[in-house]
Amino acid sequence: MRALLQRVIEASVEADDQVIGRIDRGVVTLVGVAQGDGPRDSRYLAEKILHLRIFDDHQGKLNHSLLTTSGACLLVSQFTLLANTARGRRPDFLQAAAPDVAAPLVSDVASQLRAGGVPVVEGRFGARMVVRLANDGPVTILLDSREQG
């Protein structure tokens, strides 16, 4: 699984011309599920998202996590994170998991974040969405569960 985290001061997600979720300070997390991913991958990403120190302390150093800042997470499924652009000009998405596999794993990440104490707002799986955000920093981090030790 891949996740792209963007530290934000505010963000929202729309589907069908309606705002379906909004957060203040926290992270927008775009999640892509690859073929072969499973619960171990969703647990890894949730733990990283909960504890990754990407928020400033009083000296401006990245020493705080979502948990220590009481931040929220706007979580959006995004299969395009699995794009393969090695050949040609059109990306292929053959590495992305099928929706019936991906949807429960994205939901599992959201559930684990909530269980960890973080408010989570979700996009609508499979929908065409508009994500609006005010990136703070900017701080943008790419996580990949296949890099776990």
Side-chain angles (χ1 to χ4, degrees), residues 85-146:
T85 60
R87 295 175 32 123
R89 295 186 176 152
R90 183 188 315 244
D92 76 54
F93 305 101
L94 300 174
Q95 296 175 11
D100 62 321
V101 172
L105 290 172
V106 173
S107 291
D108 190 38
V109 172
S111 295
Q112 290 182 57
L113 292 174
R114 286 185 186 104
V118 170
V120 178
V121 173
E122 295 180 71
R124 187 173 299 148
F125 189 91
R128 186 173 210 56
M129 292 173 275
V130 175
V131 178
R132 299 182 195 282
L133 60 98
N135 198 323
D136 181 23
V139 173
T140 303
I141 307 287
L142 180 63
L143 300 173
D144 192 326
S145 66
R146 300 204 176 176

Side-chain angles (χ1 to χ4, degrees), residues 17-136:
D17 296 321
Q18 294 183 345
V19 174
I20 59 173
R22 181 183 314 272
I23 65 169
D24 290 321
R25 185 172 182 190
V27 293
V28 169
T29 304
L30 308 174
V31 177
V33 180
Q35 290 184 31
D37 286 343
R40 181 173 183 251
D41 298 282
S42 60
R43 281 192 304 274
Y44 173 82
L45 283 186
E47 281 298 308
K48 280 290 192 184
I49 295 164
L50 285 170
H51 299 288
L52 200 62
R53 297 184 327 183
I54 61 172
F55 293 91
D56 298 340
D57 64 14
H58 64 282
Q59 295 177 330
K61 297 192 188 245
L62 299 179
N63 277 326
H64 292 290
S65 68
L66 267 180
L67 292 175
T68 60
T69 60
S70 300
C73 178
L74 173 59
L75 188 73
V76 176
S77 175
Q78 188 171 355
F79 74 93
T80 60
L81 285 175
L82 281 297
N84 178 352
T85 60
R87 295 175 32 123
R89 295 186 176 152
R90 183 188 315 244
D92 76 54
F93 305 101
L94 300 174
Q95 296 175 11
D100 62 321
V101 172
L105 290 172
V106 173
S107 291
D108 190 38
V109 172
S111 295
Q112 290 182 57
L113 292 174
R114 286 185 186 104
V118 170
V120 178
V121 173
E122 295 180 71
R124 187 173 299 148
F125 189 91
R128 186 173 210 56
M129 292 173 275
V130 175
V131 178
R132 299 182 195 282
L133 60 98
N135 198 323
D136 181 23

